[in-house]
Amino acid sequence: MIKSLNQFNFFTRQFSYFQPPSLKGLYKASKLIVYFFLALVLLFFVLDKFFPIPLASEKNQYSAVIVAEDGTPLRSFADKNGVWRYPITLKDVSPLYLQALINYEDRYFYSHPGVNPGALLRAAWQRMSNGRIISGGSTISMQVARIIEPHSRSIPGKIKQIFRALQLEWHWNKKKILTYYVNHAPFGGTYEGVEAASRAYLGKPSKELSHAEAALLAVLPQAPTRFRPDLHPKRAEKARNKVINRLTQFSIWNQHTAQQAKIETVASVLHKQEILAPLLARRLKSRAMKTGLLKTTINSSLQYSIEQRLSTYLSRLPKKISIAVLVVENQDLKTRAYVGSADFSDAERFGHIDMVQAIRSPGSTLKPFLYGLAIEDGLIHSESLLSDAPVEYAGYRPTNFHGNFHGPVSVRFALQKSLNITAVQVLHHYESNKFVARLENGGLALTFPRHSKPNLSVILGGAGTNLESLVTSYSAFARQGLSAKIRFTNKDALQERRMLDGGAAWIIRRILEDHSRPGVPEQFLNWSNSRNVAWKTGTSYGYRDAWAIGVTSRYTIGVWVGRPDGTPMPGHYGAITAAPILFDIVDGLPNRNQASSDYSIPSNVKKTNICWPIGSEKKDTIDSLCHQRKTAWVLNNTAPLTLPDVTRKIWSSHQVQYWVNKKNGLLVNASCNVQQREKRILAKWPDALEPWLTQDILAVSRKPKSDPSCTTIPERSSGTLKIQGLAHHSVYRRSGSDEKLPVVQLDALGGQGKLYWIIDGKLARIANLRQSVQHRFKKTGLHTITVTDQKGAFDSIEVKVIK
């Protein structure tokens, strides 16, 4: 029981005032004392065996405290009894507090074996002399014993307390006893432990205490209710000053320190718990309850900054709209900021719903993965020719977000402008089931309505996913094609999955970075600067979800804006609602000017010249078949040919062979009466793009007129659609005093589905079959009028407008 020389010397000092009797009497007394002492020791061990320390299970013993990477509290949850108790170690407590506590409560803490006989005798004498308690005789070890096993204020209760204190000293060391005290001592109300008290009454962690604050918290457990600073500040201040005087008396603190400490007033304040990332904390609560303290990877400064930005932005949005933001670090997928809703306390905006996890329609945000996978599979390269024109796939008629058409476009242009028709075209050739399976294998699982299967609409948002899955998947564009599971703590393992080829990921990221963000001219892009962001927006059907995902060299950032209840947000979509938030966050990221180390061109990627309409490399294409030259990024030294027309089931080289009369160059066949013939080759553009082609390109991509000795072959018209009422090469002029240019009536015979009137390559009108529409010319000169239907049939004429 006496475990050290210090404790033996302590007892020697306590009984030094007794005068020894005669030697014979001393011997007898000594024997009695030894026997008595041995009996006590034996009794102690027997009782210790059958009555062990009744410690509660460590599980759920503390409040659940979730903190940021730097230790800043994010959110705390009271334990099952509603008590706030934050776990803390001695090294994380202010030395001033420990100094005040030990020297005021238990000056001989490190010397005695759990009880201080002198203090007990003094306390008993003072109580008998004054009829009331003047000072306590309990050591810190005895106070811990009372915390572990509360007892009545009686002699049997005190004996029980002394026994438990001795047990603690036998089984624990001083550090463990003191640690238990600073974590469990009562501080009034539902607060236990110095850390919980410091944050509640002083609004700061216990490691930052001043002398005055340390003295206050040292005395508070003596009478937690009477000394509560938020309820009785004057009484608390008086008790605090008593501690300061005691430490001055013992020369622990000097007079100057004591005077300065007494100047501080005790504020009658109960600090409200500050909350950061409340929905992440709620998500991690069960994990935190197991340990008491859970340290996350959250960057507290970044988290606070984003929450403040969103609060400002939210005030400009209509009611019921919420915002979610997720920021992860690409290197290890650690979560740096997590905002499940812009205002956790706003019930009208459904602030309690975590929209980082909520399943929503992803809109167009899946398009980069489709183009990347298609590049990996050798279907396309960055400048492959796509057809942005009216089309139908077994009754499914995709349209672009703004309802217009661009005709011939590249993969790069289609992805940057987020064109729907071209994305469906690529998915048609890649296949929907394969696309969904590849996404799931890469870690991006999609949900579908019950009994439904993947189809072409999946690329336009016809499925469900969440912000977390999108962000972790987009990180693959900065991680050589590897996505990974999100990490909330350093203990979470890095679990990676292959989303797509590293070279394909690089090409897609480059395309998205080439699309300069609003307000930043393209010529100012700097590829070695992490402020460059590869970004993509998306909007779900009915304006229900607005997305913006960005990838920098170091971070991947996701933004969602919408109504958690799923109602529409008319006029709000990704590019105008979510993208500004994304760019604002990107500009505020830490180390945003850090040079990129991952932007070297992969070994399986090269830049080369390719030719439209065929799609092959320029070096492999004869000049007459290269109508337009483009500079493309290709994978594995392969330049895939242009995708076939939707109506064609087999792939082709897009080269058409024909025979002409060698004398006049006119088209001939076996039935023509021509002696000298010559074989020629032309490059064939997709049929749906002919309305957008210039006359020069049409001239070299169409067969010539038939030789007079042959049957006539139609030139302009495709299918059974014909412009009515307007003649080819007609001339129109302004009439009378009207300063405006003439108006023409547009009619067509035949066709299927909607009719699309295209004037000079731009969509002018959309009409139903047999519906007349009018068009006013805006300038003089030659104009090409084209009509096309949803099956790809078209007719085209030229007219001239003069003043």
Side-chain angles (χ1 to χ4, degrees), residues 284-297:
L284 299 177
K285 177 183 176 181
S286 60
R287 292 175 61 179
M289 291 298 289
K290 297 176 181 178
T291 59
L293 178 69
L294 183 68
K295 179 178 286 190
T296 69
T297 59

mmCIF file of all heavy atoms in Angstrom, residues 284-297:
data_model
loop_
_atom_site.group_PDB
_atom_site.id
_atom_site.type_symbol
_atom_site.label_atom_id
_atom_site.label_comp_id
_atom_site.label_asym_id
_atom_site.label_seq_id
_atom_site.Cartn_x
_atom_site.Cartn_y
_atom_site.Cartn_z
ATOM 1 N N LEU A 284 -21.108 10.870 -38.667
ATOM 2 C CA LEU A 284 -20.023 10.158 -37.986
ATOM 3 C C LEU A 284 -20.306 9.934 -36.504
ATOM 4 O O LEU A 284 -19.448 9.429 -35.784
ATOM 5 C CB LEU A 284 -18.718 10.950 -38.139
ATOM 6 C CG LEU A 284 -18.230 11.170 -39.577
ATOM 7 C CD1 LEU A 284 -16.973 12.022 -39.575
ATOM 8 C CD2 LEU A 284 -17.973 9.845 -40.275
ATOM 9 N N LYS A 285 -21.484 10.312 -36.039
ATOM 10 C CA LYS A 285 -21.793 10.250 -34.608
ATOM 11 C C LYS A 285 -21.603 8.856 -34.034
ATOM 12 O O LYS A 285 -21.001 8.692 -32.965
ATOM 13 C CB LYS A 285 -23.234 10.716 -34.376
ATOM 14 C CG LYS A 285 -23.673 10.627 -32.918
ATOM 15 C CD LYS A 285 -25.134 11.040 -32.759
ATOM 16 C CE LYS A 285 -25.593 10.856 -31.320
ATOM 17 N NZ LYS A 285 -27.026 11.229 -31.161
ATOM 18 N N SER A 286 -22.094 7.846 -34.720
ATOM 19 C CA SER A 286 -22.000 6.490 -34.181
ATOM 20 C C SER A 286 -20.547 6.056 -34.023
ATOM 21 O O SER A 286 -20.200 5.344 -33.077
ATOM 22 C CB SER A 286 -22.747 5.504 -35.089
ATOM 23 O OG SER A 286 -22.197 5.515 -36.403
ATOM 24 N N ARG A 287 -19.694 6.498 -34.944
ATOM 25 C CA ARG A 287 -18.273 6.165 -34.820
ATOM 26 C C ARG A 287 -17.651 6.913 -33.639
ATOM 27 O O ARG A 287 -16.832 6.356 -32.903
ATOM 28 C CB ARG A 287 -17.531 6.525 -36.111
ATOM 29 C CG ARG A 287 -17.917 5.660 -37.294
ATOM 30 C CD ARG A 287 -17.259 6.137 -38.584
ATOM 31 N NE ARG A 287 -15.807 6.096 -38.518
ATOM 32 C CZ ARG A 287 -15.019 6.438 -39.535
ATOM 33 N NH1 ARG A 287 -15.551 6.846 -40.682
ATOM 34 N NH2 ARG A 287 -13.711 6.385 -39.402
ATOM 35 N N ALA A 288 -18.052 8.156 -33.454
ATOM 36 C CA ALA A 288 -17.494 8.955 -32.363
ATOM 37 C C ALA A 288 -17.949 8.449 -31.002
ATOM 38 O O ALA A 288 -17.204 8.544 -30.017
ATOM 39 C CB ALA A 288 -17.894 10.421 -32.538
ATOM 40 N N MET A 289 -19.150 7.901 -30.920
ATOM 41 C CA MET A 289 -19.659 7.417 -29.641
ATOM 42 C C MET A 289 -18.820 6.255 -29.104
ATOM 43 O O MET A 289 -18.784 6.006 -27.902
ATOM 44 C CB MET A 289 -21.112 6.960 -29.796
ATOM 45 C CG MET A 289 -22.097 8.095 -30.053
ATOM 46 S SD MET A 289 -22.204 9.314 -28.734
ATOM 47 C CE MET A 289 -23.023 8.368 -27.469
ATOM 48 N N LYS A 290 -18.130 5.559 -29.999
ATOM 49 C CA LYS A 290 -17.332 4.415 -29.567
ATOM 50 C C LYS A 290 -16.039 4.854 -28.885
ATOM 51 O O LYS A 290 -15.502 4.148 -28.046
ATOM 52 C CB LYS A 290 -17.004 3.523 -30.764
ATOM 53 C CG LYS A 290 -18.240 2.917 -31.427
ATOM 54 C CD LYS A 290 -17.849 2.130 -32.670
ATOM 55 C CE LYS A 290 -19.080 1.551 -33.359
ATOM 56 N NZ LYS A 290 -18.719 0.822 -34.604
ATOM 57 N N THR A 291 -15.523 6.012 -29.285
ATOM 58 C CA THR A 291 -14.229 6.461 -28.762
ATOM 59 C C THR A 291 -14.314 7.761 -27.971
ATOM 60 O O THR A 291 -13.382 8.112 -27.253
ATOM 61 C CB THR A 291 -13.241 6.666 -29.918
ATOM 62 O OG1 THR A 291 -13.779 7.636 -30.837
ATOM 63 C CG2 THR A 291 -13.003 5.358 -30.664
ATOM 64 N N GLY A 292 -15.425 8.476 -28.107
ATOM 65 C CA GLY A 292 -15.565 9.764 -27.433
ATOM 66 C C GLY A 292 -15.082 10.904 -28.298
ATOM 67 O O GLY A 292 -15.744 11.921 -28.446
ATOM 68 N N LEU A 293 -13.936 10.738 -28.917
ATOM 69 C CA LEU A 293 -13.360 11.780 -29.754
ATOM 70 C C LEU A 293 -13.033 11.200 -31.113
ATOM 71 O O LEU A 293 -12.385 10.155 -31.208
ATOM 72 C CB LEU A 293 -12.089 12.352 -29.116
ATOM 73 C CG LEU A 293 -11.350 13.436 -29.914
ATOM 74 C CD1 LEU A 293 -12.178 14.712 -29.952
ATOM 75 C CD2 LEU A 293 -9.983 13.707 -29.301
ATOM 76 N N LEU A 294 -13.488 11.863 -32.167
ATOM 77 C CA LEU A 294 -13.197 11.422 -33.524
ATOM 78 C C LEU A 294 -12.597 12.590 -34.298
ATOM 79 O O LEU A 294 -13.248 13.613 -34.497
ATOM 80 C CB LEU A 294 -14.466 10.928 -34.222
ATOM 81 C CG LEU A 294 -14.253 10.363 -35.628
ATOM 82 C CD1 LEU A 294 -13.463 9.057 -35.573
ATOM 83 C CD2 LEU A 294 -15.599 10.127 -36.321
ATOM 84 N N LYS A 295 -11.359 12.416 -34.708
ATOM 85 C CA LYS A 295 -10.683 13.463 -35.482
ATOM 86 C C LYS A 295 -10.887 13.199 -36.965
ATOM 87 O O LYS A 295 -10.536 12.133 -37.472
ATOM 88 C CB LYS A 295 -9.188 13.516 -35.143
ATOM 89 C CG LYS A 295 -8.436 14.578 -35.941
ATOM 90 C CD LYS A 295 -6.969 14.657 -35.549
ATOM 91 C CE LYS A 295 -6.811 15.324 -34.194
ATOM 92 N NZ LYS A 295 -5.385 15.616 -33.894
ATOM 93 N N THR A 296 -11.450 14.163 -37.660
ATOM 94 C CA THR A 296 -11.702 14.033 -39.084
ATOM 95 C C THR A 296 -10.572 14.680 -39.886
ATOM 96 O O THR A 296 -9.626 15.229 -39.328
ATOM 97 C CB THR A 296 -13.032 14.704 -39.458
ATOM 98 O OG1 THR A 296 -12.895 16.137 -39.324
ATOM 99 C CG2 THR A 296 -14.158 14.216 -38.563
ATOM 100 N N THR A 297 -10.709 14.640 -41.198
ATOM 101 C CA THR A 297 -9.724 15.266 -42.090
ATOM 102 C C THR A 297 -10.180 16.652 -42.539
ATOM 103 O O THR A 297 -9.567 17.241 -43.428
ATOM 104 C CB THR A 297 -9.492 14.388 -43.325
ATOM 105 O OG1 THR A 297 -10.744 14.202 -44.012
ATOM 106 C CG2 THR A 297 -8.936 13.031 -42.933
#
